[in-house]
Amino acid sequence: MKRKVSEKSLLLTESVIREMSREATRYGAINLGQGFPDFPAPEDIKQKAMQAIEKDYNQYAVTWGVKEFRDRIAEKTKRFLNLDVDPESEITVTCGSTEGMIAAMLACVDKGEEVILFEPFYENYAPDAILSDAKPVYVPLYQTETGWHFDKEELKAAFNKKTKAIIICNPNNPTGKVFTLEEMKFIAELCQEYDALCFTDEIYEHIIYQDNDVKRQHVCMATIEGMKERTVVVNSLSKTYSVTGWRVGYVIAPADITTAIRKVHDFLTVGAPNCLQHAGAYAMQLPNSYYEQLQAEYQRKRDFFVPVLKSVGFKCNYPEGAYYVMTDISNFGFEDDFAFTKFLIKEIGVAVVPGSSFYQNKILGKQQVRFCFCKRDETLQEAAERLQKLKLK
Ligand code: GLN
C-alpha cells in the first residue's frame, strides 16, 4: 500500500509554539509562550482596515501587492534604513513574514544547497529548510554575561562552496540579540567571499532597547556595502503594528530575486488580503513618534518583567531587542524543558515555550524556556504574582 503522506511531511514536527498556545487555553494559563500582544491593535489602523472593506477592497489585489502599499513600504524603508527600494520590481507583499521566508527560500535554494542558521533559531526556519530541500548548517550562539555571541571562526568554518545563504533574525527571536554593525560586516564579508545570499528576518526592527551607555541600533543587512544585491529582507506588519493575525508581510529583494519570489508567492497564495494591505499603506506613514512610543512601552515591560524572572530563580540576560527572554531553568531541578513547561502551565498557570524547540540539537535547550512579554501590564503583573510560587527557598 502506498503511504498517504509525503516523506517531507513526516520530517516536520508540529510547531511547539502554537501547541503551547493551545495548552494555555486548555488549562487557563497566562500565555507568555507564542509572541503576540494581548492588547488592542491601534485604533486608527483598525479603522483603515474597516474602511477598506467598506470601500470594497474585497477582491484579489495584484499578486505581488497593492501598489499604494508597496509605495509606502519603499518610503518607510527609505525613512528608517536610508535604503532605496523600487516598489515596482523589488517588493513582494506576502501572507506574513512566514510566507515571505519560505517563498524566498523556495525561490532561491536548490536541493542540497546549504543554508546557515544561528542556533537557537526561530522555530520556522528548520521546517523552511526541509520544505525547500536545503541542508541546514547550524552555528551556535553562546550566552555569556554580556549577551549572546557567535564564534567568528565557527561561522567562517560553516561557509563553503555549497553555502547558498545564511538566515539571520535581527533583532533575534528567541535570544533578544541585536547584531552589531561589526558582526554584520563580518557576516557580509563571508557572504561575498562565498557568493552566498542573506535572508534576514527583521520583523522586530523597531523593538530595540537602550541600556546605559550602549547605543543600540538596528542594522539592516541590505545597507551594508556590497550586500543589497544579495540580501532578501523579510518583514511584516505583525509585530510593529500589533496585528499578528492579519498575516501581512513583505519581502524586499533585488529585482532578479524578486521575480522568482513573486512566482513562488503567486502559486502558493495568490496574494495577501487586499483590504488589510490598504490599512498597511496607512500604517507605513505613521510618524516617528509611533515607533518611539512602541519602543518605550516594550522597554518598560522588559524592565518590569526581567527582574521578576531573575528574582524567582530564572537565569537570563536583559534582551537587547524583540520581546522575548530566553531563560535558564537549571535552578529549578526539572528533568527537562518540557517537564518544566508542563508544570508551569498546570501548577503555576503560566505558559512558555520549551527551549529545545529553538534547537536542532535538542539537548542544548533542555534547561531553557522562552518567555514573551508583549502583554498588557495587568497580564504581566498577574503572571509575576503566579510566578512567586516558584521562588527558590
Ligand atoms: N513569532 C512568534 C513567536 O516566536 C509567533 C510565532 C508564530 O506562531 N507564528 O512566538
Side-chain angles (χ1 to χ4, degrees), residues 15 17-18 33-36 98 122-124 173 203-204 239 247 323-324 353 358 370:
S15 157
I17 298 179
R18 266 81 84 190
Q34 193 176 19
F36 63 89
T98 299
Y122 169 52
E123 210 192 20
N124 276 34
N173 176 6
I203 64 170
Y204 304 99
K239 314 290 180 179
R247 316 311 302 133
Y323 46 46
Y324 307 101
V353 181
F358 302 99
R370 190 198 73 175

Side-chain angles (χ1 to χ4, degrees), residues 122-232:
Y122 169 52
E123 210 192 20
N124 276 34
Y125 306 147
D128 285 345
I130 293 172
L131 293 173
S132 60
D133 290 320
K135 179 171 179 271
V137 174
Y138 299 94
V139 173
L141 287 176
Y142 299 102
Q143 188 170 25
T144 71
E145 295 278 294
T146 57
W148 295 74
H149 306 283
F150 61 87
D151 180 298
K152 287 185 173 164
E153 288 312 310
E154 281 182 348
L155 182 63
K156 202 169 176 181
F159 275 84
N160 65 71
K161 61 181 193 312
K162 281 194 251 149
T163 306
K164 184 57 175 275
I166 180 167
I167 298 180
I168 59 175
C169 175
N170 181 36
N172 189 259
N173 176 6
T175 64
K177 176 179 176 60
V178 174
F179 287 77
T180 63
L181 179 61
E182 195 254 329
E183 288 173 322
M184 299 287 278
K185 283 186 173 161
F186 184 79
I187 298 169
E189 269 169 34
L190 288 170
C191 287
Q192 291 176 51
E193 185 180 339
Y194 289 91
D195 194 16
L197 304 174
C198 178
F199 299 125
T200 166
D201 181 343
E202 306 199 346
I203 64 170
Y204 304 99
E205 67 172 324
H206 291 291
I207 307 174
I208 297 211
Y209 307 109
Q210 304 304 339
D211 291 296
N212 306 324
D213 44 354
V214 188
K215 182 85 194 86
R216 254 176 228 125
Q217 218 191 331
H218 168 68
V219 181
C220 171
M221 186 57 101
T223 61
I224 297 198
E225 210 188 323
M227 287 307 287
K228 184 167 184 246
E229 57 265 38
R230 55 177 72 250
T231 299
V232 177

Side-chain angles (χ1 to χ4, degrees), residues 290-320:
Y290 172 82
Y291 304 93
E292 285 156 16
Q293 203 183 332
L294 183 83
Q295 293 215 358
E297 277 290 296
Y298 279 131
Q299 176 117 17
R300 210 174 42 72
K301 290 181 192 298
R302 181 197 73 155
D303 293 346
F304 165 72
F305 200 61
V306 173
V308 169
L309 293 177
K310 286 178 182 283
S311 75
V312 297
F314 292 93
K315 286 185 270 181
C316 57
N317 294 333
Y318 278 77
E320 300 164 351

Side-chain angles (χ1 to χ4, degrees), residues 86-103:
D86 177 10
E88 293 311 319
S89 63
E90 297 181 319
I91 296 177
T92 310
V93 176
T94 55
C95 296
S97 61
T98 299
E99 194 226 335
M101 184 61 81
I102 186 64

